[in-house]
Amino acid sequence: MIVTEDIQIDFFKKAGKLAGETLEAISKLVKPGITTWELDEFAEKMIREGGALPTFKGYRKFPATICASINEEVVHGIPNRNRVLKEGDVVSMDLGATFRVVENGKSMDYIGDTALTVPCGEINPRLQKLLDDTKESLYAGIKACRAGNTLDDIGGAIEDIAKAGLYGIVRDYGGHGIGPNYHEDPLIFNYRTGSKVKLKPGMVIAIEPMFNQGGDRVRLKADGWTVVTQDYKPSAHFEHSILVTEDEPYVLTKRPNEVM
Ligand code: MG
């Protein structure tokens, strides 16, 4: 959506801040032996205690607060009591926090949506590089989020980093506008599509590159949610919610300790 009033911007900032803080908190809990279920419970409690709702829970019947996607899982992994993290895994965690506000008798949702991939214990340097480069591509995409630029400026900045690192780019999923119904137009691809759609001040969007150590191709598992790489090579995912301004992009979901 395009925000026009300061009060709307404040709610997006509040939602983004809580989402970022929650993501940072659960990323610090990642260690061998913890289950994705425990990460999910912690996140749900923190979001609710912060006065918000877990955006994903119930969204298209998704059963949990976070998506937890391990190794070859790209996105939308479902937290599970039996899924124990082990040394050398990489875990992608994605979450949303929603502030539901009644405005003029009408309910309105303000959402912060954010993700990152972290190592569990020691991981091999090549895998660490995949994580670092995917994160850098998010930052490059954010830098391109300036009023007057096109969606292709974002996709192109991300694609260039993927190409330099010889990574697969997930093409079936990508960033999106954020509005009261969570996902909104425009779709924001992580590669050049020739899009001439221009960014405007007040736009709230999520940018979320997903890079694979192998090829581009992904498939959906039988659970109807979990997306995995076709070749079972590991994947990384980083996401921020951004407010486009007249000047520098505002990173709504920036984490307290994040250096960009
Ligand atoms: Mg998103």
Side-chain angles (χ1 to χ4, degrees), residues 126-190:
R126 200 174 152 226
L127 201 45
Q128 185 61 53
K129 180 100 168 74
L130 170 71
L131 271 48
D132 294 344
D133 288 347
T134 311
K135 183 166 73 178
E136 279 314 310
S137 82
L138 170 61
Y139 294 163
I142 291 170
K143 275 206 187 84
C145 278
R146 300 191 76 104
N149 279 1
T150 65
L151 296 184
D152 239 23
D153 290 320
I154 300 173
I158 293 168
E159 182 180 14
D160 287 345
I161 292 178
K163 284 202 166 147
L166 305 176
Y167 301 115
I169 303 176
V170 176
R171 289 167 192 271
D172 303 355
Y173 301 86
H176 50 88
I178 300 177
N181 300 312
Y182 182 24
H183 290 115
E184 232 179 48
D185 282 343
L187 285 173
I188 303 172
F189 293 98
N190 293 312

Side-chain angles (χ1 to χ4, degrees), residues 56 94 113-114 174-176 178 182-183 206-208 237 239 241:
F56 299 178
D94 189 347
D113 185 11
T114 185
H176 50 88
I178 300 177
Y182 182 24
H183 290 115
I207 304 179
E208 47 181 320
H237 176 214
E239 175 182 30
S241 299

Side-chain angles (χ1 to χ4, degrees), residues 184-254:
E184 232 179 48
D185 282 343
L187 285 173
I188 303 172
F189 293 98
N190 293 312
Y191 53 93
R192 288 179 184 84
T193 60
S195 173
K196 303 271 189 292
V197 173
K198 283 204 167 140
L199 295 163
K200 295 187 188 87
M203 276 176 108
V204 183
I205 55 173
I207 304 179
E208 47 181 320
M210 290 152 245
F211 288 179
N212 303 333
Q213 206 165 66
D216 293 353
R217 300 283 300 276
V218 297
R219 67 175 180 83
L220 189 62
K221 282 181 78 169
D223 64 17
W225 281 106
T226 314
V227 177
V228 292
T229 53
Q230 190 88 267
D231 55 17
Y232 284 92
K233 297 241 172 93
S235 187
H237 176 214
F238 285 82
E239 175 182 30
H240 271 311
S241 299
I242 311 293
L243 171 68
V244 180
T245 75
E246 299 278 1
D247 192 37
E248 296 285 321
Y250 186 92
V251 183
L252 293 159
T253 46
K254 189 172 182 298

Side-chain angles (χ1 to χ4, degrees), residues 54 70 83 126:
I70 302 165
R83 193 71 200 257
R126 200 174 152 226

